[in-house]
Amino acid sequence: MRSNHLIIVLFLTVLTACKTNSEEKIKAVTIKEDVAFLADDKLEGRQTGTDGEVAAAAYIAQRFEDLGLTAKGTKGYLQAFSFKPKTDPHQEVNYTVIDGDSSITGTNVIGFLDNKAEHTIIIGAHYDHLGYGAEGSLFRGDTKEIHNGADDNASGVAVLLNLAQKLKSANKGNNYLFMAFSGEEMGLLGSNYFNKKPTIELSKANYMLNMDMVGRLKQDSTLAVYGVGTSPILKQVVKANNSKFKIIQNESGVGPSDHTSFYNSDIPVLHFFTGQHEDYHKPGDDTQKLNYEGMETISSYIFEIISDLDNNGKLPFRKTKNESEEVPRFKVGLGVIPDYLFDGKGMRIDGISEDKPAQKAKLQKGDIVIKMGDSLVTDMMSYMRVLSTFDTGDTTKVIVKRGDDEVEADIEF
């Protein structure tokens, strides 16, 4: 059986913090405070099915209640789902009844703001992470360490809660369904389950907004917004309400986060993302590295988008090209973290992995790969196409732009 000690201690802490009246509570809790709770070592990385995940769910449910949201799970604010872990990453998830040691139970947290409107906007963010380094961890240390996932994705949940506060205070527009998903790191399981077992009528859903890794806005204020092609008006609205960001738009409604589950249900989606970094899926993704002012600005920007769309009725859904189907398969890796928000010529390196080809060749963070072997690298897709042609043991020359200089390096895969 699951130990209840951690859950009880943490939940009592939440309740103690909530003894003020509701309005005082709304004013008191900041984005930074929400992140601090969710990304604390005490939650041990919030891996799906663990005590830390349950404590995080209890905290989010309490925040929903304090914000005046109606419970919209299957048991209060909670929607539990049990599943058997995949043995093949390409197989469909096998949802099941609780089955002893062979199944894991995750929990979505769902709150509803009912404005008696015809349509509902779904606003979501996953709250689970990798525990002590579950599958998907990029940490290569000798000992297990807690992966707190401050950016991935305590940041998204904190912005979701901030938006709930703003929309509750505005008291207008559509209905709003706020969802904190579990099981995202294991394959979008919580959002997938909700779309199979929705607690609202999905035909009434207008569109879905997803915040996943919105905590590290960089100095150039680059913000990626994916899914702008899933309804004709979205490109215009994303652009018209922006005065703070350098926006990188992507049309596709398919990507490695929970908005994909709603796109597959023919619901328009937008996914907000501040970019990859060297702490991604590692123990270094901690609270002190987040840009909290940037998160506040992102929350206000999303609020403006919602407000602009409130007078447009139900948005028509449009299928987009699935760019993930075009991604080549790799036998080798360069050992870098690409800057997915870079919109210049080439592939900019945002981080270097230890003891990998790039580090051994003395490539640096900030280098822009412009040529590999005989092939020019003009963007992320061309980089991936070239990389897919190499095999273990191959050698090649890489040319990178470093400042105003071009530097050549020898790579051995």
Side-chain angles (χ1 to χ4, degrees):
M1 289 181 64
R2 173 182 284 146
S3 167
N4 290 317
H5 177 71
L6 174 64
I7 302 168
I8 292 170
V9 170
L10 288 169
F11 194 55
L12 286 175
T13 301
V14 176
L15 290 176
T16 301
C18 297
K19 292 302 182 183
T20 58
N21 66 48
S22 176
E23 194 63 32
E24 289 173 338
K25 171 70 181 181
I26 291 174
K27 291 178 181 176
V29 182
T30 64
I31 284 177
K32 189 172 185 178
E33 288 167 333
D34 281 327
V35 169
F37 184 93
L38 294 168
D40 193 283
D41 280 352
K42 294 186 181 70
L43 269 65
E44 298 181 315
R46 309 185 307 277
Q47 186 176 344
T48 301
T50 65
D51 289 350
E53 181 232 26
V54 174
Y59 176 84
I60 297 165
Q62 185 65 57
R63 290 282 284 117
F64 281 176
E65 182 177 345
D66 291 332
L67 287 163
L69 305 183
T70 304
K72 208 67 176 177
T74 50
K75 187 175 182 182
Y77 292 95
L78 309 181
Q79 181 191 42
F81 57 95
S82 294
F83 60 96
K84 291 184 178 179
K86 295 180 182 181
T87 56
D88 177 352
H90 301 293
Q91 75 183 52
E92 283 288 317
V93 62
N94 182 16
Y95 294 107
T96 181
V97 295
I98 296 175
D99 187 17
D101 292 337
S102 65
S103 68
I104 297 172
T105 298
T107 306
N108 295 328
V109 191
I110 310 172
F112 188 57
L113 178 54
D114 187 0
N115 286 325
K116 310 301 180 186
E118 184 178 358
H119 301 120
T120 296
I121 296 167
I122 299 172
I123 303 174
H126 79 90
Y127 71 94
D128 64 297
H129 197 51
L130 299 177
Y132 282 88
E135 184 177 353
S137 171
L138 299 177
F139 180 57
R140 296 296 178 261
D142 295 329
T143 59
K144 290 186 176 182
E145 292 188 25
I146 298 173
H147 292 50
N148 281 320
D151 186 29
D152 187 13
N153 186 36
S155 68
V157 176
V159 170
L160 178 147
L161 291 166
N162 187 263
L163 278 168
Q165 177 181 323
K166 286 182 169 73
L167 291 165
K168 175 69 175 177
S169 298
N171 193 30
K172 64 177 182 178
N174 291 271
N175 307 321
Y176 304 97
L177 191 76
F178 299 92
M179 304 187 61
F181 306 107
S182 189
E184 192 270 355
E185 301 287 9
M186 292 183 170
L188 317 185
L189 302 186
S191 55
N192 181 294
Y193 183 81
F194 177 84
N195 278 271
K196 287 179 167 62
K197 303 282 186 180
T199 62
I200 64 166
E201 190 177 337
L202 277 187
S203 64
K204 299 291 186 182
N206 194 345
Y207 57 89
M208 189 270 179
L209 304 177
N210 180 40
M211 288 81 67
D212 192 354
M213 295 178 63
V214 290
R216 293 211 187 183
L217 189 69
K218 297 175 184 176
Q219 286 188 340
D220 65 358
S221 296
T222 300
L223 178 67
V225 186
Y226 300 145
V228 297
T230 60
S231 191
I233 197 175
L234 291 179
K235 278 187 182 180
Q236 173 190 334
V237 170
V238 164
K239 181 179 179 181
N241 289 280
N242 173 48
S243 61
K244 304 285 187 181
F245 305 103
K246 176 184 176 183
I247 298 290
I248 304 294
Q249 295 191 14
N250 187 295
E251 291 201 359
S252 179
V254 176
S257 192
D258 290 302
H259 60 286
T260 301
S261 299
F262 293 86
Y263 170 82
N264 288 336
S265 292
D266 294 345
I267 296 171
V269 297
L270 288 177
H271 170 214
F272 300 87
F273 172 59
T274 54
Q276 199 82 288
H277 48 77
E278 55 195 347
D279 293 315
Y280 172 69
H281 280 196
K282 295 179 182 177
D285 184 7
D286 278 322
T287 57
Q288 70 272 19
K289 298 179 181 178
L290 299 197
N291 180 348
Y292 294 100
E293 183 178 345
M295 292 165 68
E296 292 276 1
T297 307
I298 290 168
S299 175
S300 296
Y301 173 54
I302 297 173
F303 178 80
E304 293 302 324
I305 289 173
I306 294 169
S307 299
D308 194 357
L309 289 172
D310 271 346
N311 297 321
N312 285 276
K314 195 167 192 297
L315 304 189
F317 173 74
R318 186 167 66 186
K319 287 280 188 185
T320 59
K321 190 176 183 180
N322 184 356
E323 296 179 354
S324 65
E325 292 177 350
E326 299 180 353
V327 176
R329 295 184 179 274
F330 307 107
K331 298 176 183 177
V332 297
L334 191 58
V336 301
I337 298 169
D339 183 351
Y340 290 98
L341 304 189
F342 179 62
D343 61 350
K345 184 178 180 181
M347 187 282 290
R348 186 163 66 187
I349 297 172
D350 207 29
I352 306 284
S353 299
E354 293 290 324
D355 200 32
K356 297 292 184 182
Q359 187 192 52
K360 293 175 180 178
K362 295 183 169 49
L363 298 186
Q364 300 175 9
K365 178 178 179 178
D367 285 350
I368 301 170
V369 178
I370 56 175
K371 190 173 184 180
M372 292 181 69
D374 295 326
S375 301
L376 294 176
V377 175
T378 57
D379 54 18
M380 185 64 65
M381 186 58 71
S382 64
Y383 163 72
M384 289 190 288
R385 289 196 190 102
V386 176
L387 189 61
S388 69
T389 65
F390 294 104
D391 207 338
T392 304
D394 288 350
T395 59
T396 192
K397 290 189 180 296
V398 172
I399 297 177
V400 301
K401 189 171 182 182
R402 185 176 296 164
D404 294 328
D405 300 324
E406 289 188 4
V407 178
E408 184 177 286
D410 293 316
I411 296 289
E412 181 176 355
F413 293 104

